[in-house]
Amino acid sequence: MRLDVITIFPEYLAPLRLSLVGRAADRGLLDIRVHDLRAWTHDRHHTVDDTPYGGGPGMVMKPEPWGEALDEILADTPVDTPIDPDADDGGGGARGPVLVVPTPSGRPFSQEVAAELADRSHLIFTPARYEGIDRRVVEEYAERAEVRELSIGDYVLAGGEAPVLVMVEAVVRLLPGVLGNAESHRDDSFAAGSMAHLLEGPVYTKPPVWRGREVPQVLLGGHHGHIARWRRDHALRRTAEHRPDLLRAAPPESWDPGDRRFLAELGWESGPDGRFGPRPGAVEE
Ligand code: 6GU
């Protein structure tokens, strides 16, 4: 996978050389290129911003440097050759680059979006500072690439660089060969599959007693059925406490008889559509 990031703070992206993402790049699974937007300015002060038309606070990023940067990078996009022969590419394998525009007014970034991006071979990120980029840049490149304006959550950051680090890490760990078996993502909170609607419960390692605190006995025994049920119950409890919205949204077929029994213990019951919600009058924290 090829990753380009265009930013006025290239140093902010230094963590891409570390840890899981850095290791994937060192192993040749990723080609990461971080570009300084100011390289595409032509004035003495390397100006990238200007005052907003219509007035108002703050500054807006000028379109010309972004245009020149994106033209150059798009001219150099790799031939799209998906690893997955079943990829949704019309059979040709050439779906072109995705332009990822981090913005607090974007659609929510999620595990599902991360998986869609992980299926592509060229991602171009355009983290902005100030009040954002002149709108015409997104309009222009929407005609030449797939553009995804994405937000990483309901809070405001000073720029899109931290969101790029977040999104790249979420995408890269899904690429074939990046995770070892020990860090497999099949049970991830939010992954599709059996745990899709549940947050992960607590985990423990040695020693069996630490500062007088014991590891739950069931985990020390070898009864795989009891361990699986215990983990499932704790995942349900944690989800009910931290993300009741996820439990409410889960389709009825998500729940096996053991789940239904434990949800009832938590004060949850199934409604007319078969989905679970807190029993009226039950205390929700
Ligand atoms: Cl992608 N950018 C900024 N500046 N703030 C954010 C964000 C992005 N996502 C959430 N807050």
Side-chain angles (χ1 to χ4, degrees):
M1 172 179 274
R2 162 94 169 270
L3 296 177
D4 288 277
V5 185
I6 311 165
T7 170
I8 60 167
F9 292 119
E11 306 91 333
Y12 206 120
L13 283 301
L16 295 179
R17 308 287 162 201
L18 304 175
S19 188
L20 177 110
V21 175
R23 223 176 313 131
D26 291 342
R27 291 169 56 210
L29 298 168
L30 279 180
D31 175 5
I32 305 176
R33 305 184 191 183
V34 177
H35 312 270
D36 187 343
L37 178 67
R38 295 190 201 275
W40 289 279
T41 58
H42 305 287
D43 63 309
R44 286 205 305 131
H45 298 106
H46 303 287
T47 309
V48 292
D49 62 329
D50 205 338
T51 53
Y53 275 123
M59 299 290 272
V60 173
M61 298 193 92
K62 297 163 60 61
E64 302 96 323
W66 287 106
E68 290 190 32
L70 288 166
D71 285 349
E72 190 171 321
I73 290 164
L74 285 168
D76 185 33
T77 192
V79 177
D80 199 321
T81 48
I83 296 152
D84 176 7
D86 301 325
D88 180 20
D89 57 7
R95 288 172 299 162
V98 180
L99 186 60
V100 179
V101 180
T103 168
S105 55
R107 295 207 172 102
F109 181 72
S110 64
Q111 191 64 30
E112 186 183 355
V113 173
E116 288 166 9
L117 295 178
D119 196 39
R120 306 295 290 257
S121 59
H122 188 194
L123 306 179
I124 305 169
F125 293 89
T126 60
R129 290 270 146 179
Y130 316 110
E131 301 302 312
I133 306 172
D134 186 298
R135 186 67 206 166
R136 292 169 292 181
V137 174
V138 161
E139 288 173 8
E140 168 85 1
Y141 290 95
E143 295 178 358
R144 295 160 56 181
E146 182 175 331
V147 175
R148 306 205 52 167
E149 295 181 90
L150 297 172
S151 163
I152 63 162
D154 293 339
Y155 39 79
V156 178
L157 301 170
E161 284 79 7
V164 169
L165 294 175
V166 167
M167 292 189 270
V168 168
E169 188 161 310
V171 168
V172 168
R173 64 188 288 288
L174 298 178
L175 298 179
V178 167
L179 284 193
N181 246 345
E183 8 175 27
S184 160
H185 41 74
R186 96 199 115 72
D187 280 355
D188 287 355
S189 299
F190 300 110
S194 62
M195 302 287 272
H197 312 286
L198 293 180
L199 303 181
E200 283 178 22
V203 295
Y204 301 87
T205 186
K206 291 171 278 298
V209 183
W210 177 73
R211 299 192 180 179
R213 298 168 186 275
E214 296 181 5
V215 171
Q217 278 301 320
V218 61
L219 299 180
L220 303 178
H223 195 302
H224 299 302
H226 289 171
I227 291 170
R229 187 67 253 163
W230 184 92
R231 287 191 170 143
R232 188 88 180 163
D233 288 349
H234 281 76
L236 285 163
R237 184 195 302 283
R238 190 166 181 90
T239 311
E241 284 174 1
H242 292 183
R243 293 294 305 277
D245 58 306
L246 294 180
L247 282 191
R248 280 197 205 88
E253 61 269 23
S254 313
W255 313 126
D256 67 23
D259 296 337
R260 292 167 183 279
R261 199 173 318 123
F262 192 72
L263 283 165
E265 267 182 51
L266 293 176
W268 287 58
E269 64 181 17
S270 58
D273 61 355
R275 288 174 204 255
F276 274 79
R279 191 184 304 128
V283 188
E284 229 191 301
E285 274 162 75

